[in-house]
Amino acid sequence: MTSNNNNNNNSSSNMTSTSRGSSSSSNGLLPVTITSNHPDVDVSTNGDHYDDDDDDDLLVDPNDPFDITQTKNAPPETLKRWRQAAFVLNASRRFRYTLDLKKEEEKEQKKSMIRAHAQVIRAALLFRLAGERELVTSTTVSSSTHDGDYEVGLEQLVSLSKNQNISALQQYGGVKGLSKSLKSDPDKGINGDDVDLLKRKNAFGTNTYPRKKGRSFWRFLWEAWQDLTLIILIIAAAVSLVLGIKTELKELWKTQSYCLRRTLFTKLEQLEGLEEGWYDGGSIAFAVLLVIVVTAVSDYRQSLQFQNLNSEKQNIQLEAIRGGRTIKISIFDIVVGDVVPLKIGDQVPADGVLITGHSLAIDESSMTGESKIVHKDHKAPFFMSGCKVADGFGAMLVTGVGINTEWGLLMASISEDTGEETPLQVRLNGVATFIGIVGLSVAVLVLAVLLGRYFSGHTKDLDGNVQFIAGKTSISDAVDGVIKIFTIAVTIVVVAVPEGLPLAVTLTLAFSMRKMMADKALVRRLSACETMGSATTICSDKTGTLTLNQMTVVETYVGRKKLNPPDDKSKLHPEVLSLINEGIAENTTGNVFVPKDGGETEVSGSPTEKAILSWAVKLGVNFDHIRSSSTILHVFPFNSEKKRGGVAVKLPDSAVHIHWKGAAEIVLGTCTQYLDSNGDLQSIEEEKVFFKKAIDDMAARSLRCVAIAYRPYELDKIPSNEEDLNKWSLPEHELILLAIVGIKDPCRPGVKDAVRLCTAAGVKVRMVTGDNLQTAKAIALECGILFSDEDAIEPNIIEGKTFRQLSEKEREQVAKKITVMGRSSPNDKLLLVQALRKGGEVVAVTGDGTNDAPALHEADIGLSMGIQGTEVAKESSDIIILDDNFASVVKVVRWGRSVYANIQKFIQFQLTVNVAALVINVVAAISSGDVPLNAVQLLWVNLIMDTLGALALATEPPTDRLMKRSPVGRREPLITNIMWRNLMVQAHYQVIVLLVLNFCGESILHQDSQTQTIQLKNTLIFNTFVMCQIFNEFNARKPEEMNVFRGVTKNRLFVGIVGMTFVLQIIIIEFLGKFTSTVRLDWKLWLASLCIGLFSWPLAIIGKFIPVPKTPLSRSFMKTFRRLKKSRTA
């Protein structure tokens, strides 16, 4: 009931259930038209605008299935379309982290099945749990008779909640009788000590459910094995293995007749020949298995990270009353008998029965599927776990937890689907598909050339002998030769198809999400990490986000008298003091707990409520006495539209007082009189100027102003029956002003720096608050959102009411100029978000109240508050800011930009490897009929490039330099002109060096025999190629900077992977030559390889002096293509 406490926002009576990507439940949202199509306007990274010819709309291909700039709320048809269009070698792995569309359909079917067969499903679960012994609690089904410690049994409670049987509830003596049977108290709750909690868990179960176990490592191993090319390579390796051993056995058989004349030593030499027969096939098989294991380990680690984040999302913190004290506990710690306060936006944590409620309405759509709001009173007192509080407040007695509720059965029956598409994932699938098709074409070309040369007799072995002679070469040898050629072609496909490219997004997101948790941000939707990097504006709340949310009353006016100090009750007339205390104690959702042992008084509630209650405690309020000696007749919960809340109270003498509390200037407008400090009634008309000036003065000093007023009322005018009373509106006019208080909420330390950082990064910060415009202006100046008083003019600062009254077109024009919006309602925030998005902005919005849900849902990135945010707001958001701090929002922007930058680094690195490997093998195959990089070597390169490269580059931490760039446009090309330049410089260098070694290597490295020379040449090419990739990995870290080593020591994973790759390369060359078809290199050739690789560093510096055009190459290409197409049709 504060002027800007969105936790208690009044919700509309109609709420809709909207399913959100990876959320396991539906969200209650206000009915609002959500615009599904928004124009996507580019924000160039260098701030330059392109020519009119480069208009995005002209460059967008409506038939491109990968052109999805916004995956949030994307229709299933769009998601199916891009999956079907992708060129994929391993679908089970590639689409693992995308939304499982089939499971989403099955989830809805299971909901209806559970409602119909809840008891059978529950019995099956209990039977399973009893066998597995997974629960700490008793898993045997209790009989219908009551438990020894309690007068009611588990099955009776389950039946009561399932059937919502009011007559059965009455037999227990209503909620009071039931709470007595459960050894609880409707006002004070359970005892709550360890012994009591253990007894309740043993008797009635815990508020947990058996989660479906995550995928085991063996499952990931199996999925990594599903890659079509790897399967083909394994088959080829097996055939090659059989043929190799067969060939050696045949040779051994031929020489068998001479064995009697040979020595034992000679026979052992022949057996060594047999051993060598399996090297070709065995080495390929081993390399494939190594790729599978490394891939599975990487994927399994990511899976564990997502599982940990999911458990964090499900661990909701809520209030419960135990021993008369309001405490915060985890939803998993709720037990039967607990008394749980409920307020708007809360999730109902368990099944229960209403104790008391005022205007309490529940959205049960998450369980029933019907978007009807159910009002709770003593005629409909039953609560279903998993539902949301849509309106009002009250308290419930918990009667069922865990799998003894329908919600628990549902959660135990479905697995949490963490999959969802992200815009980068979709776009990278498009890139991977294009590259894959090119790679496949190249592989087919190489296959055709090599087969043609082989069967035409142009292919020779290392000794210079023709490998195939028609009519002379055996079928076995011919098949062996064909398999080797086919293996090379398939391996080229493995290297060419960047299967790891889309999965690198998941890798960097998993890494970022884990690190963001440390920065107090819990990611609910993966796509939000990326989109945050493109954010152009942040619409932030004031209270608790820009300020500390540590509120204290620092100024008080009673009548015309200003109290100094503000809690000086000696200057107040007893009647005035009594009315103020009565108004505060009755008209609140907070609570005051006074320990019996005389300890410090504990105040709970929202920060504003706590500030006012703490002030009342200093004034000497007896909270329990006032509430117990009076009866609340009707409540009007705080309404964010009206900015006030009220209550009708019946006193012991049957007199009725109606108390109001809310935004000072709004409550003042409804007052006709005021009580002065002497207790005398005075007309307010002549003093309104004084009070308004007092409010403005407090607001100018960034104080939140709250007015307290009341009016007496006749009891006979209040409806006597419950139905009419629920429809009755509290009189809100002719009020008597009691007091105006100024509440100080200091700015958070570091907020000014965070706002300055955002401004420098091209992200405009807007403040949207329900507070007085003057208070908002003062805080905005203090935080640096407004630079000076000269900026504080309309429309830079505007009231929500003024903005609301503009036409849609006017709102779009004004929205861009708005910096501060005061006295705004949640609907005003929604209108602002819609107007900004239509203007091409990428909008991030913070919100904490239930009515903020539509704006959070509509925004590109919804940021809810972890401390003050309601469950409805959190479920509608994409990221939860755990400490409610604006500085944490800025950290999310940094991480968002880091995700995009890391993916670009990996793309540059991988494409360089792709181009160099493909060109060298194709040119060598066509010219000489052989390839210098064989299957095993290419698989090792693929491992460096895909898995290890992604781990090294996708886990780079964000740098301050990222916040000196402009936001990345939604249609900004993934491969920028700078990346093309770097890529082409390095690829050309590698190709030239490797081709020189390939064609001139034999004359440079002349050995005793041609066989040795060719083996040494191919080994040097392989080693040089790997060295180039190792050194180029450093270049990929900083595509735009000269100093590529800046911060390298901070990324231990990068240093570790590069070091490990180098060590493994030494082992491969020096000790695994028979497996990789390599020979040992002397120190001179090692030095040559290192120097060639090392030269990529100065080359990268030289390359960065090459200017690049501002217009992206992809735009120029598309523009030319469209013009050609247009001219042909013309």
Side-chain angles (χ1 to χ4, degrees):
M1 302 180 195
T2 63
S3 61
N4 189 31
N5 179 14
N6 284 343
N7 286 22
N8 300 324
N9 288 345
N10 186 29
S11 156
S12 167
S13 61
N14 293 316
M15 300 174 84
T16 59
S17 172
T18 306
S19 176
R20 297 288 308 275
S22 60
S23 177
S24 61
S25 61
S26 301
N27 305 311
L29 299 174
L30 283 165
V32 28
T33 305
I34 301 293
T35 311
S36 58
N37 294 316
H38 299 280
D40 295 310
V41 177
D42 263 343
V43 182
S44 172
T45 48
N46 53 20
D48 293 303
H49 296 282
Y50 307 119
D51 300 332
D52 293 336
D53 292 336
D54 292 323
D55 185 10
D56 277 345
D57 294 334
L58 298 175
L59 297 173
V60 173
D61 183 359
N63 298 317
D64 184 1
F66 301 106
D67 187 18
I68 305 174
T69 57
Q70 180 80 352
T71 57
K72 184 175 176 179
N73 312 319
E77 292 74 24
T78 307
L79 304 182
K80 282 179 185 174
R81 194 164 157 244
W82 80 258
R83 285 172 175 74
Q84 291 165 354
F87 179 75
V88 181
L89 298 176
N90 187 349
S92 61
R93 182 169 182 246
R94 177 82 74 87
F95 298 135
R96 180 188 300 132
Y97 294 111
T98 56
L99 185 65
D100 193 325
L101 300 172
K102 193 175 179 182
K103 276 188 182 177
E104 288 298 299
E105 293 172 8
E106 289 174 356
K107 197 181 287 185
E108 293 304 316
Q109 293 170 0
K110 282 188 178 179
K111 280 186 185 179
S112 56
M113 185 183 75
I114 282 169
R115 285 202 63 79
H117 308 290
Q119 294 292 71
V120 177
I121 295 168
R122 178 172 161 269
L125 268 173
L126 286 171
F127 181 78
R128 194 187 91 197
L129 291 172
E132 294 177 0
R133 296 184 178 180
E134 283 188 359
L135 286 184
V136 180
T137 61
S138 169
T139 54
T140 55
V141 179
S142 300
S143 64
S144 58
T145 56
H146 63 76
D147 187 276
D149 288 318
Y150 304 97
E151 295 175 17
V152 60
L154 172 61
E155 288 304 308
Q156 292 167 307
L157 288 176
V158 170
S159 174
L160 183 74
S161 298
K162 160 75 180 166
N163 301 320
Q164 300 198 351
N165 193 333
I166 295 177
S167 60
L169 179 63
Q170 297 304 324
Q171 288 175 13
Y172 290 115
V175 69
K176 287 187 178 178
L178 184 61
S179 64
K180 187 179 177 184
S181 299
L182 292 170
K183 295 188 177 178
S184 182
D185 184 279
D187 298 319
K188 295 182 179 179
I190 62 172
N191 181 8
D193 59 31
D194 291 341
V195 175
D196 182 31
L197 291 175
L198 187 60
K199 278 185 181 177
R200 292 177 186 277
K201 287 176 182 178
N202 287 332
F204 305 111
T206 59
N207 201 28
T208 57
Y209 51 85
R211 289 190 178 88
K212 291 204 170 182
K213 291 180 180 177
R215 297 176 182 177
S216 67
F217 173 71
W218 302 109
R219 176 71 184 274
F220 284 99
L221 208 58
W222 172 251
E223 285 188 356
W225 165 266
Q226 300 303 302
D227 193 311
L228 180 62
T229 50
L230 295 182
I231 292 170
I232 293 170
L233 284 175
I234 284 286
I235 294 168
V239 175
S240 179
L241 192 68
V242 171
L243 289 172
I245 293 173
K246 180 186 168 188
T247 304
E248 292 298 332
L249 282 171
K250 191 195 294 184
E251 291 299 318
L252 189 63
W253 180 259
K254 284 178 184 177
T255 58
Q256 191 66 38
S257 58
Y258 302 104
C259 280
L260 295 172
R261 301 193 301 270
R262 310 279 298 197
T263 62
L264 179 62
F265 180 76
T266 309
K267 280 194 271 185
L268 287 173
E269 277 185 336
Q270 289 170 341
L271 288 173
E272 282 178 16
L274 175 62
E275 286 179 11
E276 291 181 8
W278 66 272
Y279 279 150
D280 279 351
S283 56
I284 293 173
F286 178 76
V288 170
L289 289 173
L290 183 65
V291 169
I292 289 170
V293 170
V294 173
T295 301
V297 169
S298 174
D299 290 349
Y300 182 58
R301 281 173 54 83
Q302 286 179 51
S303 172
L304 292 178
Q305 288 177 359
F306 285 129
Q307 282 179 34
N308 292 337
L309 288 165
N310 272 336
S311 60
E312 285 290 338
K313 284 192 282 188
Q314 292 163 351
N315 189 14
I316 298 167
Q317 297 295 310
L318 47 81
E319 289 183 341
I321 298 171
R322 289 180 178 174
R325 178 187 281 116
T326 303
I327 59 170
K328 278 238 172 190
I329 60 173
S330 165
I331 191 170
F332 302 130
D333 295 331
I334 291 286
V335 293
V336 169
D338 262 325
V339 173
V340 179
L342 296 172
K343 60 182 181 296
I344 185 171
D346 283 351
Q347 178 174 313
V348 178
D351 282 359
V353 179
L354 177 72
I355 297 173
T356 180
H358 302 286
S359 306
L360 195 57
I362 306 295
D363 174 19
E364 295 184 348
S365 60
S366 59
M367 286 307 299
T368 64
E370 299 172 11
S371 57
K372 191 173 76 172
I373 300 301
V374 181
H375 291 271
K376 296 295 175 183
D377 51 31
H378 294 295
K379 292 180 182 176
F382 294 99
F383 293 93
M384 287 166 59
S385 178
C387 300
K388 304 290 187 300
V389 181
D391 197 7
F393 62 92
M396 65 172 268
L397 174 72
V398 174
T399 59
V401 292
I403 60 164
N404 299 316
T405 69
E406 288 182 10
W407 177 257
L409 291 176
L410 175 65
M411 290 295 101
S413 303
I414 60 175
S415 56
E416 179 78 6
D417 185 12
T418 55
E420 62 159 305
E421 355 292 290
T422 74
L424 262 180
Q425 222 175 13
V426 178
R427 291 175 72 187
L428 283 172
N429 267 290
V431 172
T433 297
F434 175 74
I435 297 170
I437 291 168
V438 172
L440 186 63
S441 305
V442 169
V444 170
L445 176 67
V446 169
L447 180 65
V449 169
L450 290 180
L451 286 174
R453 290 183 64 94
Y454 180 77
F455 287 112
S456 62
H458 288 84
T459 304
K460 297 179 181 179
D461 61 18
L462 295 177
D463 296 321
N465 302 318
V466 175
Q467 289 189 352
F468 180 83
I469 301 171
K472 292 185 178 180
T473 306
S474 67
I475 294 173
S476 174
D477 289 340
V479 170
D480 196 22
V482 169
I483 285 173
K484 284 180 180 177
I485 292 170
F486 187 70
T487 302
I488 290 165
V490 172
T491 311
I492 287 173
V493 176
V494 173
V495 176
V497 178
E499 197 76 356
L501 200 54
L503 294 170
V505 180
T506 315
L507 181 67
T508 190
L509 287 173
F511 169 77
S512 301
M513 286 167 73
R514 186 163 51 86
K515 292 291 184 181
M516 284 165 75
M517 276 292 288
D519 282 341
K520 305 297 181 186
L522 173 61
V523 178
R524 296 189 74 255
R525 284 178 63 87
L526 286 175
S527 56
C529 286
E530 292 171 15
T531 315
M532 203 64 188
S534 302
T536 58
T537 185
I538 300 172
C539 298
S540 173
D541 282 340
K542 176 186 75 69
T543 308
T545 308
L546 297 168
T547 61
L548 280 169
N549 221 4
Q550 295 172 359
M551 301 192 188
T552 47
V553 174
V554 295
E555 204 162 311
T556 307
Y557 284 88
V558 177
R560 287 180 56 92
K561 185 175 286 185
K562 181 179 178 181
L563 301 187
N564 193 11
D567 53 5
D568 186 1
K569 61 182 180 183
S570 63
K571 295 177 182 176
L572 297 178
H573 189 276
E575 185 184 348
V576 177
L577 182 61
S578 174
L579 283 168
I580 290 172
N581 284 342
E582 181 187 300
I584 292 171
E586 299 286 9
N587 191 15
T588 184
T589 54
N591 193 26
V592 176
F593 175 74
V594 182
K596 291 179 182 178
D597 57 7
E600 191 176 343
T601 302
E602 296 175 18
V603 179
S604 61
S606 70
T608 312
E609 294 284 9
K610 283 167 74 174
I612 294 172
L613 284 170
S614 299
W615 174 62
V617 167
K618 291 174 184 175
L619 291 177
V621 67
N622 190 330
F623 188 82
D624 290 335
H625 173 72
I626 292 172
R627 297 199 73 148
S628 60
S629 62
S630 59
T631 306
I632 293 177
L633 301 173
H634 191 58
V635 174
F636 179 84
F638 175 82
N639 186 304
S640 57
E641 296 288 339
K642 292 194 172 184
K643 304 291 181 191
R644 59 188 184 275
V647 61
V649 182
K650 181 183 173 185
L651 302 177
D653 59 359
S654 294
V656 174
H657 285 170
I658 293 172
H659 291 278
W660 285 93
K661 179 177 70 182
E665 72 272 23
I666 292 174
V667 172
L668 181 66
T670 61
C671 293
T672 54
Q673 295 175 293
Y674 72 93
L675 269 177
D676 62 22
S677 56
N678 298 318
D680 297 325
L681 269 175
Q682 307 287 346
S683 171
I684 207 167
E685 291 305 318
E686 295 174 6
E687 305 298 339
K688 274 198 175 177
V689 175
F690 168 81
F691 288 121
K692 282 179 181 175
K693 186 177 183 307
I695 292 167
D696 288 342
D697 287 347
M698 285 192 279
R701 283 178 283 119
S702 69
L703 301 185
R704 169 178 281 187
C705 303
V706 177
I708 301 165
Y710 95 110
R711 66 166 289 177
Y713 203 70
E714 296 79 16
L715 183 61
D716 55 6
K717 288 185 180 180
I718 299 173
S720 54
N721 67 71
E722 192 173 350
E723 194 172 326
D724 292 338
L725 187 62
N726 287 334
K727 296 176 184 176
W728 181 60
S729 297
L730 281 180
E732 54 186 1
H733 298 290
E734 298 180 14
L735 303 183
I736 300 166
L737 183 68
L738 296 175
I740 298 173
V741 295
I743 301 172
K744 180 68 177 174
D745 185 13
C747 259
R748 283 185 181 273
V751 157
K752 196 164 188 176
D753 292 335
V755 170
R756 191 185 299 119
L757 196 63
C758 276
T759 306
V763 182
K764 183 176 175 65
V765 180
R766 293 174 163 89
M767 181 198 290
V768 184
T769 177
D771 262 348
N772 183 305
L773 197 59
Q774 295 303 315
T775 306
K777 173 189 164 185
I779 292 287
L781 285 166
E782 196 176 337
C783 294
I785 294 172
L786 285 172
F787 298 113
S788 63
D789 283 320
E790 287 72 33
D791 294 329
I793 55 170
E794 199 171 302
N796 289 354
I797 67 168
I798 194 170
E799 278 202 346
K801 182 173 67 176
T802 309
F803 181 71
R804 195 185 314 147
Q805 290 167 350
L806 298 172
S807 68
E808 191 174 332
K809 201 165 188 178
E810 288 171 330
R811 282 201 295 268
E812 282 183 46
Q813 293 169 350
V814 170
K816 293 179 182 179
K817 301 174 184 176
I818 293 173
T819 306
V820 176
M821 185 185 284
R823 282 290 173 244
S824 70
S825 67
N827 194 52
D828 297 332
K829 186 186 280 189
L830 176 63
L831 290 172
L832 177 62
V833 170
Q834 289 174 338
L836 288 168
R837 290 192 71 199
K838 283 177 184 174
E841 301 276 359
V842 180
V843 186
V845 168
T846 70
D848 53 13
T850 301
N851 279 3
D852 285 330
L856 291 168
H857 190 268
E858 171 74 3
D860 295 285
I861 314 103
L863 303 154
S864 64
M865 300 297 110
I867 299 171
Q868 290 302 311
T870 63
E871 283 309 309
V872 169
K874 288 175 186 175
E875 286 205 3
S876 297
S877 68
D878 306 299
I879 297 173
I880 301 172
I881 304 301
L882 298 174
D883 61 353
D884 293 14
N885 191 343
F886 184 77
S888 298
V889 176
V890 180
K891 287 176 185 175
V892 173
V893 176
R894 274 166 58 97
W895 278 109
R897 294 187 175 194
S898 176
V899 166
Y900 196 87
N902 286 352
I903 293 301
Q904 286 188 314
K905 293 170 189 177
F906 181 58
I907 291 172
Q908 180 181 307
F909 173 69
Q910 189 170 48
L911 291 188
T912 306
V913 184
N914 277 356
V915 171
L918 285 177
V919 170
I920 181 69
N921 269 4
V922 170
V923 173
I926 292 172
S927 61
S928 63
D930 196 10
V931 288
L933 300 173
N934 63 33
V936 176
Q937 292 166 1
L938 283 174
L939 284 170
W940 169 235
V941 169
N942 186 63
L943 197 62
I944 296 172
M945 178 180 71
D946 254 13
T947 308
L948 298 178
L951 271 171
L953 292 169
T955 55
E956 280 280 315
T959 60
D960 291 336
R961 191 181 178 87
L962 289 170
M963 295 301 285
K964 293 174 184 174
R965 302 177 183 175
S966 296
V968 179
R970 288 189 191 184
R971 295 192 186 278
E972 197 73 24
L974 273 174
I975 308 175
T976 64
N977 288 359
I978 289 171
M979 289 169 65
W980 277 120
R981 178 196 63 196
N982 298 345
L983 190 156
M984 296 311 292
V985 165
Q986 293 295 331
H988 273 94
Y989 168 66
Q990 290 181 21
V991 167
I992 290 166
V993 168
L994 296 176
L995 288 178
V996 167
L997 287 175
N998 188 58
F999 293 113
C1000 305
E1002 289 180 41
S1003 58
I1004 299 170
L1005 306 166
H1006 189 69
Q1007 298 291 305
D1008 295 337
S1009 68
Q1010 189 179 3
T1011 302
Q1012 289 178 330
T1013 306
I1014 292 172
Q1015 283 182 329
L1016 191 63
K1017 177 198 74 172
N1018 288 345
T1019 302
L1020 182 60
I1021 289 172
F1022 169 55
N1023 198 45
T1024 303
F1025 184 63
V1026 172
M1027 290 301 121
C1028 283
Q1029 308 325 316
I1030 290 173
F1031 287 103
N1032 191 38
E1033 210 158 351
F1034 285 88
N1035 293 329
R1037 287 187 67 246
K1038 307 285 181 184
E1040 298 176 29
E1041 295 181 41
M1042 294 294 180
N1043 183 4
V1044 296
F1045 305 105
R1046 191 198 306 271
V1048 72
T1049 52
K1050 293 179 182 176
N1051 190 350
R1052 292 179 183 174
L1053 187 60
F1054 178 89
V1055 174
I1057 286 172
V1058 169
M1060 183 180 72
T1061 307
F1062 186 70
V1063 170
L1064 287 173
Q1065 181 65 15
I1066 293 172
I1067 293 169
I1068 286 169
I1069 298 294
E1070 297 298 318
F1071 304 105
L1072 300 176
K1074 288 186 178 179
F1075 283 98
T1076 55
S1077 301
T1078 56
V1079 293
R1080 290 186 176 184
L1081 300 177
D1082 59 26
W1083 69 270
K1084 292 176 185 176
L1085 292 179
W1086 268 107
L1087 186 62
S1089 299
L1090 285 169
C1091 288
I1092 292 169
L1094 194 65
F1095 186 69
S1096 67
W1097 287 349
L1099 185 68
I1101 294 171
I1102 295 165
K1104 283 167 187 173
F1105 286 103
I1106 300 172
V1108 294
K1110 289 178 181 176
T1111 304
L1113 289 175
S1114 58
R1115 288 174 185 271
S1116 302
F1117 173 76
M1118 284 298 294
K1119 190 168 66 171
T1120 307
F1121 177 74
R1122 291 287 170 89
R1123 282 175 179 169
L1124 284 170
K1125 196 175 178 182
K1126 203 172 182 180
S1127 63
R1128 282 185 180 180
T1129 53

